[in-house]
CSV table of all heavy atoms in Angstrom, one decimal:
chain,number,residue,atom,x,y,z
A,17,GLU,N,-48.1,5.6,13.2
A,17,GLU,CA,-49.2,6.5,13.5
A,17,GLU,C,-48.7,7.5,14.6
A,17,GLU,O,-49.1,8.7,14.6
A,17,GLU,CB,-50.5,5.8,14.0
A,17,GLU,CG,-51.2,5.0,12.9
A,17,GLU,CD,-52.3,4.0,13.3
A,17,GLU,OE1,-52.4,3.9,14.6
A,17,GLU,OE2,-53.0,3.5,12.5
A,18,GLU,N,-48.1,6.9,15.7
A,18,GLU,CA,-47.5,7.8,16.7
A,18,GLU,C,-46.6,8.9,16.2
A,18,GLU,O,-46.5,10.0,16.7
A,18,GLU,CB,-46.9,6.9,17.8
A,18,GLU,CG,-46.4,7.7,18.9
A,18,GLU,CD,-45.8,6.7,20.0
A,18,GLU,OE1,-46.4,5.7,20.2
A,18,GLU,OE2,-44.9,7.2,20.7
A,19,LEU,N,-45.7,8.5,15.2
A,19,LEU,CA,-44.7,9.4,14.7
A,19,LEU,C,-45.2,10.2,13.5
A,19,LEU,O,-44.5,11.0,12.9
A,19,LEU,CB,-43.5,8.6,14.3
A,19,LEU,CG,-42.8,8.0,15.4
A,19,LEU,CD1,-41.8,6.9,14.9
A,19,LEU,CD2,-42.0,8.9,16.3
A,20,PHE,N,-46.5,10.0,13.1
A,20,PHE,CA,-47.1,10.7,11.9
A,20,PHE,C,-46.3,10.5,10.6
A,20,PHE,O,-46.0,11.4,9.8
A,20,PHE,CB,-47.2,12.3,12.3
A,20,PHE,CG,-48.0,12.6,13.5
A,20,PHE,CD1,-47.4,12.9,14.6
A,20,PHE,CD2,-49.4,12.5,13.3
A,20,PHE,CE1,-48.3,13.1,15.8
A,20,PHE,CE2,-50.2,12.9,14.5
A,20,PHE,CZ,-49.6,13.1,15.7
A,21,ILE,N,-45.9,9.3,10.4
A,21,ILE,CA,-45.3,8.9,9.1
A,21,ILE,C,-46.0,7.6,8.6
A,21,ILE,O,-46.8,7.0,9.4
A,21,ILE,CB,-43.8,8.5,9.4
A,21,ILE,CG1,-43.6,7.4,10.3
A,21,ILE,CG2,-43.0,9.8,9.8
A,21,ILE,CD1,-42.1,6.9,10.5
A,22,SER,N,-45.7,7.3,7.4
A,22,SER,CA,-46.3,6.1,6.8
A,22,SER,C,-45.7,4.8,7.4
A,22,SER,O,-44.6,4.8,7.8
A,22,SER,CB,-46.3,6.1,5.3
A,22,SER,OG,-44.9,5.9,4.9
A,23,GLN,N,-46.5,3.6,7.3
A,23,GLN,CA,-45.9,2.4,7.8
A,23,GLN,C,-44.7,2.0,6.9
A,23,GLN,O,-43.6,1.5,7.4
A,23,GLN,CB,-47.0,1.3,7.7
A,23,GLN,CG,-46.6,0.0,8.4
A,23,GLN,CD,-45.9,-0.9,7.4
A,23,GLN,OE1,-46.3,-0.9,6.2
A,23,GLN,NE2,-45.1,-1.8,7.9
A,24,PRO,N,-44.8,2.1,5.6
A,24,PRO,CA,-43.5,1.8,4.8
A,24,PRO,C,-42.3,2.7,5.2
A,24,PRO,O,-41.2,2.1,5.1
A,24,PRO,CB,-44.0,2.1,3.3
A,24,PRO,CG,-45.4,1.9,3.3
A,24,PRO,CD,-45.9,2.4,4.7
A,25,ALA,N,-42.6,3.9,5.5
A,25,ALA,CA,-41.5,4.8,5.9
A,25,ALA,C,-40.8,4.3,7.2
A,25,ALA,O,-39.5,4.2,7.3
A,25,ALA,CB,-41.9,6.2,6.1
A,26,ALA,N,-41.7,3.9,8.2
A,26,ALA,CA,-41.1,3.3,9.4
A,26,ALA,C,-40.3,2.1,9.2
A,26,ALA,O,-39.3,1.8,9.7
A,26,ALA,CB,-42.3,3.0,10.3
A,27,THR,N,-40.8,1.2,8.3
A,27,THR,CA,-40.1,-0.1,8.0
A,27,THR,C,-38.7,0.3,7.3
A,27,THR,O,-37.8,-0.4,7.7
A,27,THR,CB,-41.0,-0.9,7.0
A,27,THR,OG1,-42.2,-1.2,7.6
A,27,THR,CG2,-40.3,-2.2,6.6
A,28,LYS,N,-38.7,1.2,6.4
A,28,LYS,CA,-37.5,1.6,5.7
A,28,LYS,C,-36.5,2.2,6.8
A,28,LYS,O,-35.3,1.8,6.6
A,28,LYS,CB,-37.8,2.7,4.7
A,28,LYS,CG,-36.6,3.1,3.8
A,28,LYS,CD,-37.1,4.0,2.7
A,28,LYS,CE,-35.9,4.4,1.9
A,28,LYS,NZ,-34.9,5.3,2.6
A,29,HIS,N,-36.9,3.0,7.7
A,29,HIS,CA,-35.9,3.5,8.6
A,29,HIS,C,-35.2,2.3,9.4
A,29,HIS,O,-34.1,2.4,9.7
A,29,HIS,CB,-36.6,4.5,9.6
A,29,HIS,CG,-36.9,5.8,9.0
A,29,HIS,ND1,-35.9,6.6,8.4
A,29,HIS,CD2,-38.1,6.6,8.8
A,29,HIS,CE1,-36.5,7.7,8.0
A,29,HIS,NE2,-37.7,7.8,8.2
A,30,VAL,N,-36.1,1.5,9.9
A,30,VAL,CA,-35.6,0.3,10.7
A,30,VAL,C,-34.6,-0.6,9.8
A,30,VAL,O,-33.6,-1.0,10.3
A,30,VAL,CB,-36.7,-0.5,11.3
A,30,VAL,CG1,-36.2,-1.8,11.9
A,30,VAL,CG2,-37.5,0.2,12.3
A,31,GLN,N,-35.0,-0.8,8.6
A,31,GLN,CA,-34.1,-1.5,7.7
A,31,GLN,C,-32.8,-0.9,7.5
A,31,GLN,O,-31.8,-1.6,7.4
A,31,GLN,CB,-34.8,-1.8,6.4
A,31,GLN,CG,-36.1,-2.8,6.5
A,31,GLN,CD,-36.8,-2.9,5.1
A,31,GLN,OE1,-36.7,-1.9,4.3
A,31,GLN,NE2,-37.6,-3.9,4.9
A,32,GLU,N,-32.8,0.4,7.4
A,32,GLU,CA,-31.5,1.2,7.2
A,32,GLU,C,-30.6,0.9,8.5
A,32,GLU,O,-29.4,0.8,8.3
A,32,GLU,CB,-31.8,2.6,7.0
A,32,GLU,CG,-32.4,2.9,5.6
A,32,GLU,CD,-32.8,4.3,5.4
A,32,GLU,OE1,-32.9,5.1,6.4
A,32,GLU,OE2,-33.2,4.7,4.4
A,33,ILE,N,-31.2,0.9,9.6
A,33,ILE,CA,-30.4,0.6,10.8
A,33,ILE,C,-29.8,-0.9,10.8
A,33,ILE,O,-28.7,-1.1,11.1
A,33,ILE,CB,-31.3,0.8,12.1
A,33,ILE,CG1,-31.6,2.3,12.2
A,33,ILE,CG2,-30.3,0.5,13.4
A,33,ILE,CD1,-32.6,2.7,13.3
A,34,GLU,N,-30.7,-1.7,10.4
A,34,GLU,CA,-30.3,-3.2,10.3
A,34,GLU,C,-29.2,-3.3,9.3
A,34,GLU,O,-28.2,-4.0,9.5
A,34,GLU,CB,-31.5,-4.0,10.0
A,34,GLU,CG,-32.5,-4.2,11.0
A,34,GLU,CD,-33.7,-5.1,10.7
A,34,GLU,OE1,-34.1,-5.1,9.5
A,34,GLU,OE2,-34.2,-5.7,11.5
A,35,GLN,N,-29.2,-2.6,8.2
A,35,GLN,CA,-28.2,-2.7,7.1
A,35,GLN,C,-26.9,-2.1,7.7
A,35,GLN,O,-25.8,-2.5,7.4
A,35,GLN,CB,-28.7,-1.9,5.9
A,35,GLN,CG,-29.8,-2.8,5.2
A,35,GLN,CD,-30.5,-1.8,4.1
A,35,GLN,OE1,-30.0,-0.7,3.8
A,35,GLN,NE2,-31.6,-2.3,3.5
A,36,HIS,N,-27.0,-1.0,8.4
A,36,HIS,CA,-25.8,-0.3,8.9
A,36,HIS,C,-25.1,-1.2,9.9
A,36,HIS,O,-23.8,-1.3,9.8
A,36,HIS,CB,-26.2,1.0,9.7
A,36,HIS,CG,-25.0,1.7,10.3
A,36,HIS,ND1,-24.2,2.4,9.6
A,36,HIS,CD2,-24.7,1.8,11.6
A,36,HIS,CE1,-23.3,2.9,10.3
A,36,HIS,NE2,-23.5,2.5,11.6
A,37,PHE,N,-25.8,-1.9,10.8
A,37,PHE,CA,-25.2,-2.7,11.8
A,37,PHE,C,-25.0,-4.1,11.3
A,37,PHE,O,-24.5,-5.1,12.0
A,37,PHE,CB,-26.0,-2.7,13.1
A,37,PHE,CG,-25.9,-1.4,13.9
A,37,PHE,CD1,-26.9,-0.6,13.9
A,37,PHE,CD2,-24.6,-1.0,14.4
A,37,PHE,CE1,-26.9,0.7,14.6
A,37,PHE,CE2,-24.5,0.2,15.1
A,37,PHE,CZ,-25.7,1.0,15.2
A,38,LYS,N,-25.6,-4.5,10.2
A,38,LYS,CA,-25.5,-5.8,9.5
A,38,LYS,C,-26.1,-6.9,10.5
A,38,LYS,O,-25.5,-7.9,10.7
A,38,LYS,CB,-24.1,-6.2,9.1
A,38,LYS,CG,-23.5,-5.2,8.0
A,38,LYS,CD,-22.1,-5.6,7.7
A,38,LYS,CE,-21.6,-4.8,6.5
A,38,LYS,NZ,-21.6,-3.3,6.8
A,39,THR,N,-27.2,-6.6,11.1
A,39,THR,CA,-27.9,-7.5,12.1
A,39,THR,C,-29.4,-7.3,12.1
A,39,THR,O,-29.8,-6.2,11.9
A,39,THR,CB,-27.2,-7.5,13.4
A,39,THR,OG1,-27.8,-8.4,14.3
A,39,THR,CG2,-27.5,-6.1,14.1
A,40,LYS,N,-30.1,-8.3,12.4
A,40,LYS,CA,-31.6,-8.2,12.5
A,40,LYS,C,-31.9,-7.6,13.9
A,40,LYS,O,-31.3,-8.0,14.9
A,40,LYS,CB,-32.3,-9.5,12.3
A,40,LYS,CG,-32.3,-10.0,10.9
A,40,LYS,CD,-32.9,-11.4,10.8
A,40,LYS,CE,-34.3,-11.4,11.3
A,40,LYS,NZ,-34.9,-12.7,11.1
A,41,LEU,N,-32.9,-6.7,13.9
A,41,LEU,CA,-33.3,-6.1,15.1
A,41,LEU,C,-34.6,-6.6,15.6
A,41,LEU,O,-34.9,-6.6,16.8
A,41,LEU,CB,-33.4,-4.6,15.1
A,41,LEU,CG,-32.1,-3.9,14.6
A,41,LEU,CD1,-32.3,-2.4,14.4
A,41,LEU,CD2,-31.1,-4.0,15.7
A,42,PHE,N,-35.4,-7.2,14.7
A,42,PHE,CA,-36.7,-7.7,15.0
A,42,PHE,C,-36.9,-9.2,14.3
A,42,PHE,O,-36.5,-9.3,13.2
A,42,PHE,CB,-37.9,-6.8,14.5
A,42,PHE,CG,-37.9,-5.5,15.2
A,42,PHE,CD1,-37.4,-4.4,14.6
A,42,PHE,CD2,-38.6,-5.3,16.4
A,42,PHE,CE1,-37.4,-3.1,15.2
A,42,PHE,CE2,-38.6,-4.2,17.0
A,42,PHE,CZ,-38.1,-3.0,16.4
A,43,GLU,N,-37.5,-10.0,15.1
A,43,GLU,CA,-38.0,-11.2,14.5
A,43,GLU,C,-39.4,-11.0,14.1
A,43,GLU,O,-40.2,-10.5,14.8
A,43,GLU,CB,-37.9,-12.3,15.6
A,43,GLU,CG,-36.6,-12.8,16.1
A,43,GLU,CD,-35.8,-13.6,15.0
A,43,GLU,OE1,-36.3,-13.9,13.9
A,43,GLU,OE2,-34.6,-13.8,15.3
A,44,ARG,N,-39.7,-11.4,12.8
A,44,ARG,CA,-41.0,-11.2,12.4
A,44,ARG,C,-41.8,-12.6,12.1
A,44,ARG,O,-41.2,-13.5,11.5
A,44,ARG,CB,-40.9,-10.5,10.9
A,44,ARG,CG,-40.3,-9.1,11.1
A,44,ARG,CD,-39.9,-8.5,9.7
A,44,ARG,NE,-39.4,-7.1,9.8
A,44,ARG,CZ,-38.2,-6.8,10.3
A,44,ARG,NH1,-37.2,-7.7,10.7
A,44,ARG,NH2,-37.9,-5.6,10.3
A,45,ASN,N,-42.9,-12.7,12.7
A,45,ASN,CA,-43.7,-13.9,12.7
A,45,ASN,C,-45.1,-13.5,12.2
A,45,ASN,O,-46.0,-13.2,13.1
A,45,ASN,CB,-43.7,-14.7,13.9
A,45,ASN,CG,-44.5,-16.0,13.9
A,45,ASN,OD1,-44.8,-16.4,12.8
A,45,ASN,ND2,-44.7,-16.5,15.1
A,46,GLY,N,-45.4,-13.5,10.9
A,46,GLY,CA,-46.6,-13.0,10.5
A,46,GLY,C,-46.7,-11.5,10.7
A,46,GLY,O,-46.0,-10.7,10.4
A,47,SER,N,-47.9,-11.2,11.4
A,47,SER,CA,-48.1,-9.8,11.8
A,47,SER,C,-47.4,-9.4,13.1
A,47,SER,O,-47.4,-8.2,13.5
A,47,SER,CB,-49.6,-9.5,11.9
A,47,SER,OG,-50.2,-10.3,12.9
A,48,LYS,N,-46.9,-10.4,13.8
A,48,LYS,CA,-46.2,-10.1,15.1
A,48,LYS,C,-44.8,-10.0,15.0
A,48,LYS,O,-44.1,-10.6,14.2
A,48,LYS,CB,-46.6,-11.3,16.1
A,48,LYS,CG,-48.1,-11.3,16.5
A,48,LYS,CD,-48.4,-12.4,17.5
A,48,LYS,CE,-49.8,-12.6,17.8
A,48,LYS,NZ,-50.0,-13.6,18.9
A,49,ILE,N,-44.2,-9.1,15.9
A,49,ILE,CA,-42.7,-8.9,15.8
A,49,ILE,C,-42.3,-9.0,17.3
A,49,ILE,O,-43.0,-8.7,18.2
A,49,ILE,CB,-42.3,-7.6,15.2
A,49,ILE,CG1,-42.9,-6.4,15.9
A,49,ILE,CG2,-42.7,-7.5,13.7
A,49,ILE,CD1,-42.3,-5.1,15.5
A,50,SER,N,-41.0,-9.3,17.4
A,50,SER,CA,-40.4,-9.3,18.7
A,50,SER,C,-38.9,-8.8,18.5
A,50,SER,O,-38.3,-9.0,17.4
A,50,SER,CB,-40.4,-10.7,19.5
A,50,SER,OG,-39.8,-11.6,18.6
A,51,LEU,N,-38.3,-8.3,19.6
A,51,LEU,CA,-36.8,-7.9,19.5
A,51,LEU,C,-36.0,-9.1,19.5
A,51,LEU,O,-36.1,-10.1,20.3
A,51,LEU,CB,-36.6,-7.0,20.8
A,51,LEU,CG,-37.2,-5.6,20.7
A,51,LEU,CD1,-37.1,-4.9,22.1
A,51,LEU,CD2,-36.4,-4.7,19.7
A,52,THR,N,-34.9,-9.0,18.7
A,52,THR,CA,-33.8,-9.9,18.7
A,52,THR,C,-32.9,-9.6,19.8
A,52,THR,O,-33.1,-8.6,20.5
A,52,THR,CB,-33.1,-9.9,17.4
A,52,THR,OG1,-32.5,-8.7,17.2
A,52,THR,CG2,-34.0,-10.3,16.2
A,53,GLY,N,-31.8,-10.4,20.1
A,53,GLY,CA,-30.8,-10.0,21.1
A,53,GLY,C,-30.3,-8.6,20.8
A,53,GLY,O,-30.0,-7.8,21.7
A,54,ALA,N,-29.8,-8.5,19.5
A,54,ALA,CA,-29.3,-7.2,19.1
A,54,ALA,C,-30.3,-6.0,19.2
A,54,ALA,O,-29.9,-4.9,19.7
A,54,ALA,CB,-28.9,-7.2,17.6
A,55,GLY,N,-31.6,-6.3,19.0
A,55,GLY,CA,-32.6,-5.2,19.2
A,55,GLY,C,-32.7,-4.9,20.6
A,55,GLY,O,-32.9,-3.7,20.9
A,56,LYS,N,-32.7,-5.8,21.5
A,56,LYS,CA,-32.8,-5.5,22.9
A,56,LYS,C,-31.5,-4.6,23.4
A,56,LYS,O,-31.8,-3.7,24.2
A,56,LYS,CB,-32.8,-6.8,23.8
A,56,LYS,CG,-34.1,-7.5,23.6
A,56,LYS,CD,-34.1,-8.9,24.4
A,56,LYS,CE,-35.3,-9.7,24.2
A,56,LYS,NZ,-35.3,-11.0,24.9
A,57,ILE,N,-30.4,-4.9,22.8
A,57,ILE,CA,-29.2,-4.0,23.1
A,57,ILE,C,-29.4,-2.7,22.7
A,57,ILE,O,-29.2,-1.7,23.4
A,57,ILE,CB,-27.9,-4.7,22.6
A,57,ILE,CG1,-27.7,-6.0,23.3
A,57,ILE,CG2,-26.8,-3.7,22.7
A,57,ILE,CD1,-26.5,-6.8,22.7
A,58,LEU,N,-29.9,-2.5,21.4
A,58,LEU,CA,-30.1,-1.2,20.8
A,58,LEU,C,-31.2,-0.5,21.6
A,58,LEU,O,-31.0,0.8,21.8
A,58,LEU,CB,-30.4,-1.3,19.4
A,58,LEU,CG,-30.6,0.0,18.6
A,58,LEU,CD1,-29.3,0.8,18.7
A,58,LEU,CD2,-31.0,-0.2,17.2
A,59,MET,N,-32.2,-1.2,22.0
A,59,MET,CA,-33.3,-0.5,22.7
A,59,MET,C,-32.7,0.0,24.1
A,59,MET,O,-33.1,1.2,24.4
A,59,MET,CB,-34.3,-1.6,23.1
A,59,MET,CG,-35.5,-1.0,24.0
A,59,MET,SD,-36.5,0.2,23.0
A,59,MET,CE,-37.9,0.3,24.1
A,60,ARG,N,-31.8,-0.7,24.7
A,60,ARG,CA,-31.3,-0.2,26.0
A,60,ARG,C,-30.5,1.1,25.7
A,60,ARG,O,-30.6,2.0,26.4
A,60,ARG,CB,-30.4,-1.3,26.6
A,60,ARG,CG,-29.9,-0.8,28.0
A,60,ARG,CD,-29.1,-2.0,28.7
A,60,ARG,NE,-27.7,-2.0,28.1
A,60,ARG,CZ,-27.3,-3.1,27.4
A,60,ARG,NH1,-28.0,-4.2,27.3
A,60,ARG,NH2,-26.1,-3.1,27.0
């Protein structure tokens, strides 16, 4: 909503980054997500 794109588009962009680096960036637990170790590094 903040970026004015659809939720599937946001998910797709993140998945493309995960595929590029061959690592998970988010841990998914139902509707909640948190950054993995790799995600925290990329965030920084």
Side-chain angles (χ1 to χ4, degrees):
E17 289 172 353
E18 183 176 323
L19 294 168
F20 299 102
I21 61 176
S22 67
Q23 189 270 332
T27 301
K28 183 173 182 292
H29 283 302
V30 171
Q31 288 174 340
E32 287 173 350
I33 299 175
E34 290 179 324
Q35 290 167 8
H36 177 77
F37 289 112
K38 296 181 174 59
T39 186
K40 288 175 61 177
L41 300 173
F42 294 98
E43 294 287 356
R44 295 163 176 82
N45 182 12
S47 60
K48 295 183 179 180
I49 62 171
S50 59
L51 285 166
T52 63
K56 291 176 182 177
I57 291 172
L58 184 59
M59 179 65 168
R60 186 177 77 244

